[in-house]
Amino acid sequence: MSIEAVDVIAAPAAAIVALDPVRSRMLAELRQPRSAAELARALDLPRQRVHYHVRQLEAQGLVTGAGERRWGGLTERLLVATAEAYLVSPEVLGAAAARPSADERPDRLSAAYLVAVAGRAVQEVGALLRRCRESGRPAETFTLDAEITFRSPAARADFARDLAEAVTEVIARHHVEGPGGRRHRLLVGAYPIPPHTPADAGPNREQSHD
């Protein structure tokens, strides 16, 4: 059976279950269908404990049945994670979740503002994914991910100015007012890549799903 590439966890109870160290290891092992016996051997855990954790994961919709397999005269139930990877949405924190500033002119050079905007994107796109799964329709998304090296802070500032002007021009050319259109959110952010992060395969990676 096919599983989702990424699932965004929005329910606090599901987040609590998934964040348990043993259960998160189980989710990683269950990217491919496995039996409880295989899980017990892979994680070096007693079968009874494995069954307990599996029940918790199934109750939150993080693990599901994947058929049966006969082995050694026995019939084993196979299990699989509902996604290859998971991300916890900020909405799990409720009122304590980070949110972008409501100011008309927020501090766009603030790292905290970037984190809050990224968190909002996780929450909104996660909700979009859930709606698309229910309707069976693809999500209308577009992603541009790139790396760039600046010679100096001044060069970085020049780039930010040029990019803002270019994006503003493109938005003005395509934006429409009035009813009948579908609103989209565009995010552009930049930050220094942490040391020891592996280099990507190429300078630009662009994906779209229309």
Side-chain angles (χ1 to χ4, degrees), residues 191-199:
Y191 54 90
I193 299 176
H196 312 301
T197 300

Side-chain angles (χ1 to χ4, degrees), residues 14-87:
I16 291 172
V17 169
L19 289 173
D20 176 89
V22 172
R23 295 169 192 155
S24 65
R25 290 172 61 199
M26 285 185 173
L27 290 174
E29 291 290 337
L30 289 173
R31 291 188 178 111
Q32 298 294 329
R34 291 176 180 265
S35 66
E38 288 174 319
L39 267 182
R41 289 193 295 270
L43 301 177
D44 193 22
L45 292 174
R47 286 276 297 274
Q48 184 176 4
R49 189 177 177 192
V50 167
H51 283 298
Y52 167 76
H53 287 302
V54 165
R55 286 195 298 271
Q56 300 297 313
L57 290 167
E58 282 192 285
Q60 298 301 327
L62 300 171
V63 163
T64 188
E68 296 180 340
R69 177 178 61 197
R70 293 191 61 81
W71 181 81
L74 300 175
T75 299
E76 292 184 317
R77 179 175 180 245
L78 298 179
L79 305 159
V80 68
T82 54
E84 294 181 4
Y86 296 87
L87 193 63

Side-chain angles (χ1 to χ4, degrees), residues 102-160:
D103 297 341
E104 291 185 4
R105 301 187 65 181
D107 182 4
R108 291 185 171 83
L109 299 181
S110 165
Y113 183 63
L114 175 57
V115 168
V117 169
R120 181 180 62 188
V122 169
Q123 180 174 336
E124 293 180 342
V125 178
L128 173 64
L129 280 173
R130 290 189 292 274
R131 292 196 301 271
C132 289
R133 289 168 188 163
E134 293 172 359
S135 66
R137 299 178 60 185
E140 297 177 350
T141 61
F142 170 85
T143 303
L144 177 63
D145 181 13
E147 292 182 15
I148 182 171
T149 301
F150 300 110
R151 294 186 179 277
S152 66
R156 183 180 59 195
D158 290 343
F159 170 81

